Amino acid sequence: MLNTLNSLESLVRGRKPGHSLDAPFYTSADVFDADMEAIFYRHWIFVGVEPDVPEPGDVATVDIGKASILLVRDDDEEVRAFFNVCRHRGARLIDEEKTTVGNLVCRYHSWTYGLDGRLVHAPHMGVGFDASCKGLKPVHLRSLEGLLFVCLADEPPEDFDQLAARMAPYIAPHNVRGTKIAYQSDLIEMGNWKLTLENNRECYHCEANHPELTVPLFAYGFGFAPEEMDALDLENAQRYDALRQTSHAEWESMGLPSREIDELDTRVSGFRTERLPLDGDGESHTMDTRAACRVPLGRFSTAKLGGLSFWTQPNSWHHFLGDHIVTFSVLPLDAGRTLVRTKWLVSKDAVEGVDYEVDRLIEVWTATNAQDATLVEMCQQGAMSPAYEPGPYSPNTEMLVEKFIRWYIDRMADHLAK
Amino acid sequence: MLNTLNSLESLVRGRKPGHSLDAPFYTSADVFDADMEAIFYRHWIFVGVEPDVPEPGDVATVDIGKASILLVRDDDEEVRAFFNVCRHRGARLIDEEKTTVGNLVCRYHSWTYGLDGRLVHAPHMGVGFDASCKGLKPVHLRSLEGLLFVCLADEPPEDFDQLAARMAPYIAPHNVRGTKIAYQSDLIEMGNWKLTLENNRECYHCEANHPELTVPLFAYGFGFAPEEMDALDLENAQRYDALRQTSHAEWESMGLPSREIDELDTRVSGFRTERLPLDGDGESHTMDTRAACRVPLGRFSTAKLGGLSFWTQPNSWHHFLGDHIVTFSVLPLDAGRTLVRTKWLVSKDAVEGVDYEVDRLIEVWTATNAQDATLVEMCQQGAMSPAYEPGPYSPNTEMLVEKFIRWYIDRMADHLAK
Amino acid sequence: MLNTLNSLESLVRGRKPGHSLDAPFYTSADVFDADMEAIFYRHWIFVGVEPDVPEPGDVATVDIGKASILLVRDDDEEVRAFFNVCRHRGARLIDEEKTTVGNLVCRYHSWTYGLDGRLVHAPHMGVGFDASCKGLKPVHLRSLEGLLFVCLADEPPEDFDQLAARMAPYIAPHNVRGTKIAYQSDLIEMGNWKLTLENNRECYHCEANHPELTVPLFAYGFGFAPEEMDALDLENAQRYDALRQTSHAEWESMGLPSREIDELDTRVSGFRTERLPLDGDGESHTMDTRAACRVPLGRFSTAKLGGLSFWTQPNSWHHFLGDHIVTFSVLPLDAGRTLVRTKWLVSKDAVEGVDYEVDRLIEVWTATNAQDATLVEMCQQGAMSPAYEPGPYSPNTEMLVEKFIRWYIDRMADHLAK
């Protein structure tokens, strides 16, 4: 009855397809360390957006596991990333989440780095000291139309280029670089990061738990078992599917790619996208389904653009509406705690209190995030029980959870094989 | 001078009879895990009383280590126990300590179980899904005249039947099923669970630490070294022993078994009982030694029934008085923290404020519990010192501590031999 | 890029001279345990001063790792040290940091020890019990002119005698035994104890971080790279060096040894001392560089005595001024937390509010300690990053940091070779 922590290898090999993971994947500190090593220190991790560092000299810090990362806008307008560690005695350079600097100065002994990472001043180190090999350690960074991904590995996965090429046409019209961050929330979920992702990858739980989110979202998009539905249900489901098809055609004719791409478990940098129609007025993720911001993103002539969702493995999802964007970054803290960072972006021309109200903008996802945190915590508590065993995913409503888990298991197996 | 964590096997083999345990038994997280595996997940654990779930649909949760257990009163009036884990994605089903339900519904995806644990509804799982093998996992449960014991093992110790047969005549007259819970306290002691038990199994410490408890309890019952006593002391001790004998004879003639049974270290489900006379008016564990509740338990015609104590290995002790019952359940949290849950039961016909006052009812044991928590913490702090080494138990006052430890060591040795 | 916790042996062998340590030395719980075992449980550890227990019966407790130690002033005026663990069931005997007692009584079962540690009373233990072998376990203690050092090992390093012989003439004139503790602060730094020591062993960081401390301290004493200095700087530095030489000569003619002794990495009980001139009025570590207490220590006829600094490996530093003494004791709590205990001593004849004000007395070091705590925390955070790697110490300003680390590595290597 009791779970024993077998070796990671046998846990990975023994994963039962179509089922949730064995308990140690959610609860073990050793598996967590392996997750950081194999997944978060080696894949492309979504950490923020260009509007986090809008001006030269702007610096943002973000933690991936035990690695604090600096995102820096250099004087040439490029965003660069470095490890937030002084090369002298190893002090953390910048403590604030956001700041603006001329140079990056370690306050311990005044070692001074340029915005490009070069060590430009290190007093009293003597004549033999070679500053040129003591610059800040760089971190690979890619901006996908303003969405910032970093990879801590020396050799990052190469397939991000293909992801970027296929996704750019979907994302570019929403003009991330033309936005500002209207609000950010940091929520610590008391559960393993994979439970956070599993929860995100299905809407089977939405009807019973998300009264706000199910206002703009169509329930028929959550998946269902056809044999459990009556004639009316089936008719509604078919009507929804027809709406999806016509909406795709209409949006694509406007130059907005909308059809599903699903590469969740078919590549190292797994991802998925699709633009979906919304219920009611069909404009936004708000309680009245109308735009939360009067200034549209990009050059949109209508607000009725549905919601473009974009997911990346292992740690992000995003909703691009006509009037705003919501980005989610999942940052594991330990085996049982996960930071979910949510940013709401609006046009940088929009004026708070005039063009949008923050309360209304963030209402649906603030409520939804809090509800999801409770669900994830319930699962973490259950996974700690000696009675827990992997349970079956619904083939009708949890196919994308299965794809996330399959991707994870494949990546771990690949790592262990090295 | 410093203790090293040897293998559990050599620690068990190396235990010095008549002495407290080696430090790792109190301080090591590894030994704690072994304790849970070998002791708490395999033996009969006292978790509560039938009055915890008086009506059909009443549910109580209790944690044994990392296992949350549901105690459920079914519509047929039977109490059943299940692991508190949904068979779908493993969510904890019930979060509250007490609740009343029609069915057991997982709020994550609405999987619904009957009070008998059967899965009665699991939406969208598709045609191939077999609900019959996805009922809640049952936990073995036994009600000893209303005292609830569970065992998480597949095959629980069989000797509980003999314990029950021998103890039922002692306990039945106090009519646990006819009581209600007047008060419950949950106290976290900052020490290992075995220190909590060791402290409970002797009254050598009572004189110096328990001014309230020593009002009803006779000091001569705590044990003593005869050679340290003067003539008057010895005469008093003989008088106490004579009182004990005559009281036993008197109570047994009333149909109340009272003589000692000591099976603490002679069986897997170790236990001990004895009814002891009380000082003063001899009625109850109160500051004036008189009954705290005017409504007697059972059909007693006198309140002067002394105190029946009943201990079970590894985690309970109880005091059955004529007017109320106090039950204690020891639930380990980690190597250095232990929950002591105390319930005070009175007749369900008694009315608070009329027949009893809660303050007066709980006065002696609330003070005593707090004092014991301090003593246990002192021992835990000492056991962490590199200078700690096992010390000698008094052969006059700590014989039953030795029996607890011997039982524990035997059970661990038996587990390791498997 | 990522640090792996190699075996301690290879970490010790692989230490790169002239550089900070590999990350596990600062972050690993296993290395921390080894540090306690090899360093803090085997070397002479500074724990307090005789004025902590001024009168017979006075008791002070201090924790070295998991060992609580009793410092007891016996009736013969001698200070003795014992492990704070009852020999019966292992309870911690004394919980308070300071108390005064007649005997040392365990409140659990009243076992009673004399101030010399002998067990004088143990009730109910029976005729075969031999109290003579159950006295409190003694701890080696040495008072160096009133500074108290303990060693938990059975066989402490013998070279403390030489340290004491060489240091006594420096310290004795300040008359520690004639002082009282005017103030004590306990500050928990969120970093490894070695970072606390590294930070203490250099003043490279002082100019940028310690505006208060750099009032009495001459910057030229911090070390510098001559090739980075202009003519004026070099002239000032030479002037400072000349002042140091003439001050030494003057103080030594007054009977105050002042010249540097540096045995930091040349012996098991490593230490260093030197009396340094102070800036301004040159009297004390105060914001106006004048004495904080009107009653001089010892029999000094002038307050202008500079500051005698005395360091011991692994855990102390001290400043002896003409009017007061500041002692620092570093007590590791875990890999990432360290207690820094600071005591300010003044003549026991001085009257608070008349001869000294506490605020003024503690101003400089209270500010400096808080600044140092921030610096240590920055380094701890950096050392946790997978990007951290050992960085170079300045050959001009961090020579004594290198000596501390070399001492530490030598002691660990010596321990591992046993």
Side-chain angles (χ1 to χ4, degrees):
Chain A
M1 183 187 58
L2 302 170
N3 288 302
T4 321
L5 176 58
N6 303 310
S7 81
L8 183 56
E9 210 154 21
S10 73
L11 281 168
V12 167
R13 254 202 317 268
R15 195 253 156 166
K16 197 173 167 186
H19 287 69
S20 61
L21 293 168
D22 276 308
F25 281 112
Y26 303 118
T27 62
S28 151
D30 290 333
V31 173
F32 180 81
D33 290 345
D35 282 1
M36 296 315 294
E37 177 72 25
I39 306 291
F40 278 82
Y41 291 167
R42 290 181 193 274
H43 290 79
W44 287 100
I45 305 300
F46 174 70
V47 290
V49 291
E50 289 205 28
D52 276 306
V53 285
E55 301 293 333
D58 285 349
V59 181
T61 56
V62 63
D63 291 350
I64 301 177
K66 290 175 173 168
S68 176
I69 308 299
L70 296 171
L71 304 173
V72 182
R73 177 83 66 174
D74 198 353
D75 292 326
D76 63 1
E77 297 279 350
E78 282 301 299
V79 183
R80 304 183 199 286
F82 305 100
F83 285 102
N84 188 6
V85 180
C86 181
R87 297 296 305 278
H88 175 218
R89 294 261 291 277
R92 176 169 288 188
L93 275 176
I94 303 286
D95 205 42
E96 299 92 337
E97 198 186 313
K98 297 268 176 93
T99 187
T100 301
V101 301
N103 284 303
L104 296 156
V105 182
C106 180
R107 61 172 274 196
Y108 202 173
H109 303 93
S110 304
W111 283 36
T112 303
Y113 304 86
L115 298 178
D116 58 359
R118 279 184 307 119
L119 177 61
V120 295
H121 183 55
H124 300 305
M125 290 304 293
V127 282
F129 178 72
D130 179 8
S132 71
C133 60
K134 293 290 176 191
L136 292 180
K137 289 191 183 180
V139 171
H140 296 281
L141 178 140
R142 302 293 298 273
S143 175
L144 169 53
E145 295 295 326
L147 304 181
L148 299 176
F149 293 80
V150 299
C151 179
L152 308 193
D154 290 335
E155 298 181 8
E158 292 174 3
D159 65 352
F160 194 86
D161 290 337
Q162 288 88 57
L163 179 161
R166 293 172 71 185
M167 282 306 305
Y170 283 77
I171 296 170
H174 293 267
N175 191 18
V176 175
R177 293 191 180 98
T179 67
K180 61 178 178 182
I181 299 169
Y183 195 77
Q184 175 176 319
S185 87
D186 277 8
L187 177 69
I188 294 176
E189 296 189 351
M190 300 307 288
N192 187 273
W193 70 275
K194 295 184 289 291
L195 292 174
T196 301
L197 266 292
E198 289 184 58
N199 179 70
N200 173 259
R201 294 327 195 205
E202 48 95 357
C203 226
Y204 182 9
H205 70 273
C206 291
E207 195 182 348
N209 292 281
H210 294 321
E212 295 83 3
L213 185 61
T214 50
V215 170
L217 294 197
F218 278 105
Y220 295 103
F222 305 164
F224 49 82
E227 64 277 9
E228 295 176 20
M229 303 183 82
D230 61 20
L232 182 63
D233 274 335
L234 286 171
E235 195 186 315
N236 283 334
Q238 281 161 7
R239 200 172 297 149
Y240 168 75
D241 204 50
L243 171 64
R244 212 168 123 239
Q245 303 298 337
T246 54
S247 298
H248 284 177
E250 187 182 334
W251 292 323
E252 300 213 333
S253 75
M254 296 163 61
L256 295 175
S258 301
R259 290 186 212 280
E260 181 184 26
I261 302 175
D262 180 350
E263 298 274 8
L264 283 171
D265 59 349
T266 48
R267 37 197 300 136
V268 176
S269 301
F271 71 102
R272 182 181 177 276
T273 195
E274 184 176 5
R275 193 180 302 270
L276 287 175
L278 300 176
D279 207 344
D281 282 305
E283 293 182 0
S284 205
H285 285 186
T286 52
M287 288 304 289
D288 62 5
T289 68
R290 305 192 62 166
C293 182
R294 290 204 293 206
V295 183
L297 299 176
R299 302 180 182 177
F300 299 137
S301 51
T302 171
K304 206 163 175 169
L305 297 172
L308 172 71
S309 67
F310 171 44
W311 301 353
T312 67
Q313 314 286 36
N315 90 315
S316 80
W317 63 93
H318 314 264
H319 295 284
F320 296 83
L321 295 312
D323 65 319
H324 75 277
I325 301 164
V326 198
T327 71
F328 301 79
S329 175
V330 174
L331 297 165
L333 301 178
D334 56 38
R337 292 187 313 138
T338 302
L339 174 65
V340 176
R341 179 166 287 168
T342 308
K343 297 179 202 267
W344 286 262
L345 314 179
V346 298
S347 166
K348 67 173 128 182
D349 299 330
V351 178
E352 187 182 344
V354 176
D355 299 309
Y356 68 98
E357 303 291 341
V358 168
D359 285 355
R360 189 164 166 257
L361 178 71
I362 71 173
E363 186 174 11
V364 166
W365 277 105
T366 298
T368 303
N369 280 347
Q371 292 147 1
D372 284 333
T374 301
L375 301 174
V376 165
E377 184 173 358
M378 285 163 52
C379 286
Q380 185 71 16
Q381 291 173 323
M384 288 191 293
S385 172
Y388 169 86
E389 62 182 46
Y393 294 137
S394 161
N396 299 299
T397 62
E398 293 172 305
M399 310 78 71
L400 303 181
V401 181
E402 170 66 12
K403 287 191 182 187
F404 165 67
I405 293 297
R406 206 183 297 152
W407 176 88
Y408 167 77
I409 288 290
D410 285 351
R411 300 314 306 141
M412 294 300 275
D414 187 71
H415 180 70
L416 291 168
K418 273 172 191 165
Chain B
M1 182 186 57
L2 301 172
N3 288 302
T4 320
L5 176 58
N6 303 311
S7 81
L8 183 56
E9 210 154 23
S10 73
L11 282 169
V12 167
R13 254 203 316 271
R15 193 253 156 165
K16 196 174 168 185
H19 287 69
S20 61
L21 293 167
D22 275 309
F25 281 112
Y26 304 118
T27 61
S28 151
D30 290 332
V31 174
F32 180 81
D33 290 345
D35 282 1
M36 296 315 294
E37 177 71 25
I39 306 290
F40 278 82
Y41 291 167
R42 290 181 193 272
H43 291 79
W44 287 100
I45 304 301
F46 174 69
V47 291
V49 291
E50 288 204 31
D52 275 307
V53 285
E55 302 292 336
D58 285 349
V59 180
T61 56
V62 63
D63 290 350
I64 301 177
K66 290 175 174 167
S68 176
I69 308 298
L70 296 172
L71 304 173
V72 182
R73 177 84 66 173
D74 199 353
D75 292 326
D76 63 1
E77 296 280 350
E78 283 299 300
V79 182
R80 303 183 200 287
F82 305 100
F83 284 102
N84 188 7
V85 180
C86 181
R87 297 296 305 277
H88 175 217
R89 294 261 291 275
R92 176 168 287 187
L93 274 176
I94 304 285
D95 205 41
E96 299 92 338
E97 197 186 314
K98 297 266 176 93
T99 187
T100 301
V101 302
N103 284 302
L104 295 157
V105 183
C106 180
R107 62 172 275 197
Y108 203 172
H109 304 92
S110 304
W111 283 37
T112 303
Y113 304 86
L115 298 178
D116 59 359
R118 278 184 308 119
L119 177 60
V120 295
H121 184 55
H124 301 305
M125 289 305 292
V127 282
F129 179 71
D130 179 8
S132 70
C133 61
K134 292 291 176 191
L136 292 180
K137 289 191 183 181
V139 171
H140 296 281
L141 179 139
R142 302 292 296 273
S143 175
L144 168 53
E145 295 294 328
L147 304 181
L148 299 176
F149 293 81
V150 299
C151 179
L152 307 194
D154 291 336
E155 299 181 9
E158 292 174 3
D159 65 352
F160 194 85
D161 289 338
Q162 289 89 57
L163 179 161
R166 293 173 72 186
M167 282 306 305
Y170 283 77
I171 296 170
H174 294 267
N175 191 19
V176 175
R177 293 191 181 96
T179 66
K180 63 178 178 182
I181 299 170
Y183 195 78
Q184 174 176 317
S185 87
D186 278 8
L187 177 68
I188 294 176
E189 296 189 350
M190 300 306 288
N192 188 272
W193 69 276
K194 295 184 289 291
L195 292 175
T196 300
L197 266 292
E198 290 185 57
N199 179 69
N200 172 257
R201 293 328 194 203
E202 49 94 358
C203 226
Y204 182 8
H205 70 275
C206 290
E207 194 181 348
N209 291 281
H210 295 320
E212 296 83 4
L213 185 61
T214 50
V215 170
L217 294 196
F218 279 106
Y220 295 102
F222 305 163
F224 50 80
E227 65 278 7
E228 295 177 19
M229 303 182 82
D230 61 21
L232 181 65
D233 274 336
L234 285 172
E235 196 187 312
N236 283 333
Q238 281 162 7
R239 199 172 298 149
Y240 168 75
D241 204 50
L243 172 65
R244 213 169 123 240
Q245 303 297 337
T246 54
S247 297
H248 283 178
E250 187 183 333
W251 292 326
E252 299 213 332
S253 74
M254 296 164 60
L256 294 175
S258 300
R259 289 185 213 282
E260 180 184 27
I261 303 175
D262 180 349
E263 298 276 8
L264 282 171
D265 60 348
T266 49
R267 35 196 303 134
V268 176
S269 299
F271 71 102
R272 182 181 177 277
T273 195
E274 184 177 4
R275 193 180 301 271
L276 287 174
L278 299 177
D279 207 344
D281 283 304
E283 293 182 0
S284 205
H285 285 185
T286 52
M287 289 304 289
D288 61 6
T289 68
R290 306 192 61 167
C293 182
R294 290 203 294 205
V295 183
L297 299 176
R299 301 177 182 180
F300 300 135
S301 52
T302 171
K304 207 163 173 168
L305 297 173
L308 173 72
S309 67
F310 171 45
W311 301 353
T312 67
Q313 314 286 38
N315 91 314
S316 80
W317 62 92
H318 314 266
H319 296 284
F320 295 83
L321 295 311
D323 65 318
H324 75 277
I325 300 165
V326 198
T327 71
F328 301 79
S329 176
V330 175
L331 298 165
L333 301 178
D334 55 39
R337 292 186 314 137
T338 303
L339 174 65
V340 176
R341 178 166 288 169
T342 309
K343 297 178 201 269
W344 286 262
L345 313 179
V346 297
S347 165
K348 65 173 128 181
D349 299 329
V351 178
E352 187 181 344
V354 177
D355 298 309
Y356 68 97
E357 303 291 341
V358 167
D359 285 355
R360 188 165 166 257
L361 177 71
I362 69 172
E363 187 175 10
V364 167
W365 277 104
T366 298
T368 303
N369 280 347
Q371 292 147 1
D372 283 333
T374 301
L375 301 174
V376 165
E377 184 174 356
M378 284 163 53
C379 286
Q380 185 71 16
Q381 291 172 324
M384 287 190 295
S385 172
Y388 170 87
E389 62 183 46
Y393 294 138
S394 161
N396 300 298
T397 62
E398 293 172 305
M399 311 78 70
L400 304 181
V401 182
E402 170 66 12
K403 287 190 182 187
F404 166 66
I405 292 297
R406 207 182 294 150
W407 177 88
Y408 166 77
I409 288 290
D410 285 352
R411 301 313 307 142
M412 293 301 275
D414 188 71
H415 180 71
L416 291 168
K418 274 170 191 167
Chain C
M1 181 186 56
L2 301 170
N3 288 302
T4 318
L5 177 57
N6 303 310
S7 81
L8 183 56
E9 209 154 23
S10 74
L11 281 168
V12 166
R13 252 203 318 268
R15 194 253 157 166
K16 196 173 167 186
H19 286 70
S20 60
L21 293 168
D22 275 308
F25 281 111
Y26 304 118
T27 61
S28 151
D30 291 332
V31 173
F32 180 80
D33 290 344
D35 281 1
M36 297 314 295
E37 177 72 25
I39 305 291
F40 278 83
Y41 291 167
R42 292 181 191 273
H43 292 78
W44 288 99
I45 304 300
F46 174 70
V47 290
V49 292
E50 288 204 31
D52 275 305
V53 285
E55 301 293 333
D58 285 348
V59 181
T61 57
V62 63
D63 291 350
I64 301 177
K66 290 174 174 170
S68 176
I69 308 298
L70 297 171
L71 304 173
V72 181
R73 176 83 66 173
D74 198 354
D75 291 327
D76 63 1
E77 297 280 351
E78 282 301 299
V79 182
R80 304 184 199 287
F82 305 100
F83 284 102
N84 188 7
V85 180
C86 181
R87 297 296 305 278
H88 175 217
R89 294 260 291 276
R92 176 169 288 188
L93 276 175
I94 304 286
D95 205 42
E96 299 92 338
E97 197 186 315
K98 296 269 177 92
T99 187
T100 302
V101 301
N103 284 303
L104 295 157
V105 183
C106 180
R107 62 171 275 197
Y108 202 172
H109 303 91
S110 304
W111 283 35
T112 303
Y113 305 86
L115 297 178
D116 58 359
R118 280 184 307 119
L119 178 60
V120 295
H121 183 55
H124 301 305
M125 290 305 292
V127 283
F129 179 71
D130 179 8
S132 70
C133 62
K134 291 291 177 192
L136 291 180
K137 289 191 182 180
V139 171
H140 296 281
L141 179 139
R142 301 293 297 275
S143 175
L144 169 54
E145 294 295 327
L147 304 181
L148 299 176
F149 293 80
V150 299
C151 179
L152 307 193
D154 291 335
E155 298 181 8
E158 292 175 2
D159 65 352
F160 194 85
D161 290 337
Q162 289 88 57
L163 179 161
R166 293 173 71 186
M167 282 305 307
Y170 282 78
I171 296 171
H174 294 266
N175 192 19
V176 175
R177 292 191 180 96
T179 67
K180 63 178 179 181
I181 299 170
Y183 195 77
Q184 174 175 317
S185 87
D186 278 8
L187 177 69
I188 294 176
E189 295 189 351
M190 301 306 288
N192 187 273
W193 69 275
K194 295 185 289 292
L195 293 174
T196 300
L197 266 293
E198 289 184 58
N199 179 70
N200 173 258
R201 293 328 195 205
E202 49 93 357
C203 226
Y204 182 8
H205 70 274
C206 291
E207 194 182 348
N209 292 280
H210 295 320
E212 294 83 4
L213 184 62
T214 50
V215 170
L217 294 195
F218 278 105
Y220 295 103
F222 306 163
F224 50 82
E227 65 277 9
E228 294 177 20
M229 303 181 80
D230 61 20
L232 182 63
D233 275 334
L234 286 171
E235 195 188 313
N236 284 334
Q238 282 161 8
R239 199 171 299 150
Y240 169 75
D241 204 50
L243 171 65
R244 212 168 123 239
Q245 303 297 339
T246 53
S247 298
H248 283 177
E250 187 182 335
W251 292 324
E252 300 213 331
S253 73
M254 295 163 61
L256 295 175
S258 301
R259 288 185 214 282
E260 181 183 28
I261 303 175
D262 180 349
E263 298 275 8
L264 284 172
D265 60 348
T266 48
R267 35 196 303 136
V268 175
S269 300
F271 71 101
R272 182 180 177 278
T273 195
E274 184 176 4
R275 193 180 302 272
L276 287 175
L278 300 177
D279 207 343
D281 283 303
E283 294 181 0
S284 204
H285 285 184
T286 52
M287 289 303 290
D288 61 5
T289 68
R290 307 191 61 165
C293 181
R294 290 204 294 207
V295 183
L297 299 176
R299 302 179 181 177
F300 300 136
S301 52
T302 171
K304 206 163 175 169
L305 297 173
L308 172 70
S309 67
F310 171 44
W311 301 353
T312 67
Q313 314 287 36
N315 91 314
S316 80
W317 63 93
H318 313 265
H319 295 284
F320 296 82
L321 294 311
D323 65 319
H324 75 277
I325 301 165
V326 199
T327 71
F328 301 80
S329 175
V330 175
L331 298 165
L333 301 178
D334 56 38
R337 291 185 315 137
T338 303
L339 174 65
V340 176
R341 178 167 287 169
T342 308
K343 298 177 202 267
W344 286 261
L345 314 178
V346 297
S347 167
K348 66 172 127 180
D349 299 329
V351 178
E352 186 182 343
V354 177
D355 298 310
Y356 68 97
E357 304 290 342
V358 167
D359 285 355
R360 190 166 165 255
L361 177 70
I362 70 173
E363 186 174 10
V364 167
W365 277 105
T366 298
T368 303
N369 280 347
Q371 291 147 1
D372 284 333
T374 301
L375 301 174
V376 165
E377 184 174 357
M378 284 163 52
C379 286
Q380 185 71 15
Q381 292 172 324
M384 289 190 294
S385 171
Y388 170 85
E389 62 182 46
Y393 294 137
S394 161
N396 300 299
T397 62
E398 293 172 304
M399 309 78 69
L400 303 181
V401 182
E402 170 65 12
K403 287 190 181 187
F404 165 67
I405 293 298
R406 206 182 296 151
W407 176 88
Y408 166 77
I409 288 290
D410 286 351
R411 302 312 307 140
M412 293 301 275
D414 188 72
H415 179 70
L416 291 169
K418 276 173 190 165

